[in-house]
Amino acid sequence: MTGAKITHFETHDVRFPTSLSGDGTDAMNTDCDYSSAYITLYTSSSLVGHGMTFTIGRGNEIVCQAIKEVASRLVGRDTEQLFANMGAAWDHLLADPQLRWIGPEKGVIHIATGAVNNALWDMYARARSKPLWKLVVDMSPEELVSATAFRYITDAITREEALAMLKEKEAGKKDREAKVKELGYPAYVTSAGWLGYSDEKVARLTKEAVSAGFNHFKMKVGSNAASDLRRGKIIRSIIDDPQYLPPGSSGHLGPSVEGKNAGPTGAVLMIDANQVWDVPQAIEYVKSLEEIKPWFIEEPTAPDDILGHAAIRSALKPHGIGVATGEHAHNRMIFKQLLQAQAIDVCQIDSCRLAGVSEVLSVLLMAAKFGVPVCPHAGGVGLCEYVIHLSLIDYIAVSGTMERNVLEFVDHLHEHFLYPCSINSRGRYNVPTNAAEGYSIEMHKNSIAEYEWPNGSYWVEAKGTK
């Protein structure tokens, strides 16, 4: 079967001035302008594909340049031949020996590949008139395995093991799909806990999140232990108090919050240090926050330090605090080692730090084999739109469970997308159902025109006022 040919592509450096409001601030990243290194693939037909990688401002132009180098490998290729084996298509994107040298499979070249691979998957889903998650869960186990990146991880999971796992879950897919469409996918909120917010804003946003149905909350920590403890107590005083629950709600007690240090209403608090500590420092700092009963500490140290994470997990386990990481784990091999070393309690994939859907699938499969829940990172522009698809794939086709899982939600910048994600009254993600939306990452043209760096209308006006 032959299809349209990929003819050309466009890239856009889109930056939003979130540093003005303190959105996205944490102990490491104190000045964040949420940004999108954005690509559209065009074909000889009307079929297109959109993708992006997230950054926080300066350097976004470097990623856009790398995207151009990677995407050029797809020009002239037949779309149906690419769709027939997305694992082989992923291998092709990574196979340029000179580009590979400046990775390999990490850094700018890898996240650029993520944008391109995501755009190809978006195109594939649009060609089949399905949302991305539906395209993947409708695949046979054999098709899904062939779409997955397996190089360098067969010491942790083989194709044969993955195939057996997927076949085991095959019978229940329809029931799980119906269930998640009815209930929504569990979410947690980060928007209340940014480090740059005042205590009053933290309290107000926390109350709003509780009333919206959320029962998992995350706050940023790491700049000052006394301040973190104070802010944590403010959040705990609200989320543990039944008076702030939605009318008719008695909280979220049950198996989904067991072992998560949940309070009397079933509310769960997580903390995130964004890599600021050395290993011994992380252990002592987190122990000092034991009073606010965190479920886990996220990114306690350097994201590549597998043994460091294992040491932190071992030291904090007697205190009932787990370890999570993954938003800066730059490829499937890092996740492989984190899982093999029993270094994490929660696996946090990033939709475009990894090199697109094909590599994400490999991590979902490994996490399912090791019995570690996947709670994706989504703190950034476009990431919530992306990751609901990945969590649906995990639940329906791979792990078969969403009992322990929660997917990050931040209430920022969704208005810039044609198919924005949404949350229901129970604090859960709604399932994307529009047949035209693909991977849900298509951006409004007027948003690109306004916020493209450096000549978008917003940035031209901003420079004129300085």
Side-chain angles (χ1 to χ4, degrees):
M1 183 177 179
T2 58
K5 284 190 165 46
I6 296 175
T7 56
H8 63 292
F9 55 85
E10 291 180 359
T11 62
H12 299 279
D13 178 350
V14 185
R15 308 187 192 187
F16 300 97
T18 50
S19 59
L20 299 179
S21 57
D23 298 343
T25 50
D26 56 58
M28 181 66 79
N29 307 296
T30 57
D31 183 26
C32 306
D33 283 331
Y34 277 2
S35 302
S36 169
Y38 188 82
I39 179 173
T40 300
L41 297 171
Y42 293 93
T43 69
S44 54
S45 71
S46 60
L47 184 63
V48 298
H50 306 280
M52 59 151 278
T53 277
F54 167 67
T55 79
I56 60 168
R58 287 183 296 277
N60 203 49
E61 73 282 4
I62 302 171
V63 182
C64 286
Q65 185 59 47
I67 287 172
K68 293 175 185 177
E69 295 296 327
V70 176
S72 65
R73 294 184 60 76
L74 293 179
V75 173
R77 295 296 300 266
D78 182 278
T79 54
E80 287 298 328
Q81 290 178 8
L82 291 167
F83 301 158
N85 190 329
M86 289 294 281
W90 190 86
D91 287 339
H92 174 71
L93 285 175
L94 278 81
D96 183 297
Q98 295 184 5
L99 293 179
R100 189 179 187 282
W101 184 262
I102 57 173
E105 298 193 38
K106 54 181 172 283
V108 170
I109 199 67
H110 204 59
I111 61 174
T113 303
V116 179
N117 185 251
N118 287 339
L120 187 61
W121 275 99
D122 179 68
M123 181 184 286
Y124 185 9
R126 288 165 179 264
R128 301 297 185 261
S129 297
K130 294 180 180 182
L132 186 277
W133 70 266
K134 181 63 171 167
L135 171 79
V136 177
V137 303
D138 284 350
M139 288 179 171
S140 69
E142 291 81 4
E143 289 171 326
L144 204 154
V145 167
S146 75
T148 301
F150 275 96
R151 190 177 194 180
Y152 303 136
I153 64 167
T154 55
D155 55 326
I157 188 169
T158 64
R159 290 176 181 270
E160 292 74 21
E161 286 178 299
L163 185 61
M165 288 168 53
L166 294 169
K167 285 183 174 180
E168 184 185 345
K169 294 294 187 291
E170 185 78 357
K173 286 202 304 188
K174 282 187 168 53
D175 289 342
R176 289 192 293 274
E177 182 175 329
K179 181 178 180 180
V180 75
K181 282 181 175 178
E182 178 189 354
L183 297 178
Y185 194 91
Y188 74 86
V189 64
T190 299
S191 300
W194 298 121
L195 208 57
Y197 288 175
S198 67
D199 289 356
E200 292 74 19
K201 188 171 183 178
V202 168
R204 174 176 60 81
L205 292 175
T206 302
K207 291 174 184 176
E208 291 174 2
V210 173
S211 67
F214 289 98
N215 75 310
H216 284 65
F217 308 83
K218 190 168 79 179
M219 62 174 276
K220 302 292 185 173
V221 299
S223 62
N224 180 281
S227 175
D228 292 341
L229 190 60
R230 185 190 73 253
R231 291 165 56 246
K233 287 180 177 179
I234 291 171
I235 294 174
R236 267 291 175 203
S237 72
I238 296 165
I239 66 178
D240 289 346
D241 191 333
Q243 71 169 307
Y244 297 110
L245 293 171
S249 174
S250 58
H252 295 262
L253 300 171
S256 66
V257 297
E258 286 178 4
K260 292 183 176 180
N261 276 333
T265 64
V268 177
L269 179 63
M270 300 94 86
I271 56 176
D272 183 359
N274 293 90
Q275 315 161 33
V276 295
W277 300 317
D278 282 358
V279 171
Q281 184 184 13
I283 294 167
E284 294 310 309
Y285 198 111
V286 176
K287 284 181 183 178
S288 76
L289 300 178
E290 187 175 356
E291 184 181 349
I292 59 173
K293 299 183 295 184
W295 171 25
F296 62 65
I297 174 63
E298 179 179 343
E299 285 203 307
T301 193
D304 303 342
D305 188 356
I306 287 88
L307 297 182
H309 279 85
I312 294 167
R313 181 175 184 245
S314 177
L316 294 180
K317 195 167 186 177
H319 300 268
I321 302 170
V323 171
T325 199
E327 74 177 83
H328 281 84
H330 49 249
N331 56 39
R332 64 207 176 280
M333 290 78 80
I334 294 291
F335 282 106
K336 177 187 76 170
Q337 294 174 70
L338 287 165
L339 293 165
Q340 289 173 326
Q342 300 180 28
I344 52 174
D345 297 276
V346 173
C347 175
Q348 293 177 303
I349 56 171
D350 183 276
S351 54
C352 44
R353 175 74 58 181
L354 294 171
V357 175
S358 289
E359 188 171 31
V360 167
L361 291 174
S362 68
V363 179
L364 295 181
L365 287 161
M366 285 191 291
K369 178 184 173 180
F370 282 82
V372 174
V374 177
C375 301
H377 166 249
V381 60
L383 301 189
C384 294
E385 278 67 31
Y386 266 153
V387 294
I388 178 55
H389 291 268
L390 303 177
S391 286
L392 290 170
I393 293 165
D394 179 44
Y395 169 53
I396 297 169
V398 182
S399 71
T401 180
M402 59 177 175
E403 188 75 13
R404 309 289 296 161
N405 307 57
V406 278
L407 171 55
E408 185 171 21
F409 177 75
V410 294
D411 192 18
H412 307 301
L413 306 173
H414 303 297
E415 68 274 13
H416 297 290
F417 296 91
L418 270 68
Y419 306 101
C421 68
S422 61
I423 296 289
N424 67 25
S425 61
R426 294 182 287 259
R428 290 169 170 253
Y429 274 85
N430 291 311
V431 173
T433 57
N434 193 314
E437 69 184 282
Y439 205 176
S440 304
I441 209 67
E442 182 176 359
M443 198 177 287
H444 286 292
K445 287 183 170 56
N446 59 353
S447 292
I448 295 174
E450 185 174 0
Y451 291 101
E452 185 154 20
W453 176 268
N455 297 316
S457 58
Y458 172 86
W459 295 109
V460 168
E461 183 178 346
K463 283 183 282 188
T465 61
K466 292 179 180 178

